[in-house]
Amino acid sequence: KLMIKVLVKKLNSKIKLPEYKTSGSSGMDLMASIDTPIKIKPNSLELIPTGLSVAIPEDFEIQIRPRSGLAAKSKISVLNTPGTIDSDYRGELKIILFNHGNKEFVVNNNDRIAQIVLTPILKMEFEEVDQLPGSIRGSGGFGSTGK
């Protein structure tokens, strides 16, 4: 298995590092690192600290994704999903959680709040042209390919 080393700094010594739960897992769960519970009102967001900073290798990013259990059971999601952590960012990882439900949601210390996935990055270079090559779909957008 290909393993990419990502340096991590604990901003709180009591934090447990994320880990893969199974050999087939794509992501690791991130946990809240907070002194007091954070309440997320319906149709509102809160920034949840994780207590971790990372040094991602160049040509990679970390994506922050919602946890399916939180979404299905509590209507909690990551607002800018997937969130991107660039390889040159060294600050604390913080998760923008949004409450899509109609009940207040409480985040407690060590709650699993999001997934973290390491992804390779391909850089692109735009080449301006007067006309693009044709395709079967053409300019058909939103819903143009049927149901």
Side-chain angles (χ1 to χ4, degrees):
K1 289 189 177 188
L2 176 64
M3 283 291 223
I4 305 297
K5 191 169 298 266
V6 174
L7 303 177
V8 62
K9 179 180 177 183
K10 290 181 179 183
L11 305 177
N12 172 344
S13 61
K14 296 177 184 174
I15 294 171
K16 290 194 301 191
L17 291 180
E19 59 186 17
Y20 293 103
K21 296 295 184 192
T22 68
S23 62
S25 296
S26 301
M28 302 179 204
D29 290 334
L30 282 173
M31 292 179 280
S33 177
I34 51 180
D35 295 325
T36 58
I38 295 176
K39 296 176 182 177
I40 309 174
K41 293 180 169 61
N43 294 309
S44 297
L45 65 86
E46 292 291 338
L47 202 57
I48 312 297
T50 65
L52 299 173
S53 293
V54 293
I56 305 164
E58 197 173 328
D59 298 323
F60 287 88
E61 71 166 339
I62 282 179
Q63 292 185 357
I64 304 298
R65 300 180 184 177
R67 291 192 63 243
S68 56
L70 275 183
K73 295 175 186 163
S74 303
K75 299 182 180 172
I76 300 298
S77 186
V78 175
L79 187 59
N80 62 326
T81 187
T84 294
I85 309 297
D86 295 309
S87 64
D88 56 355
Y89 177 68
R90 295 294 183 269
E92 181 176 12
L93 303 182
K94 294 183 180 180
I95 311 304
I96 306 168
L97 285 188
F98 189 85
N99 183 351
H100 292 277
N102 54 16
K103 295 179 188 163
E104 184 175 82
F105 182 80
V106 178
V107 178
N108 294 294
N109 191 45
N110 291 328
D111 280 357
R112 296 180 298 156
I113 56 170
Q115 291 187 78
I116 184 173
V117 176
L118 184 67
T119 309
I121 295 295
L122 297 174
K123 299 280 181 152
M124 66 178 142
E125 179 182 342
F126 283 114
E127 178 182 340
E128 189 174 352
V129 296
D130 292 330
Q131 192 162 348
L132 296 174
S135 73
I136 293 171
R137 184 172 179 178
S139 62
F142 302 108
S144 66
T145 59
K147 291 185 181 182

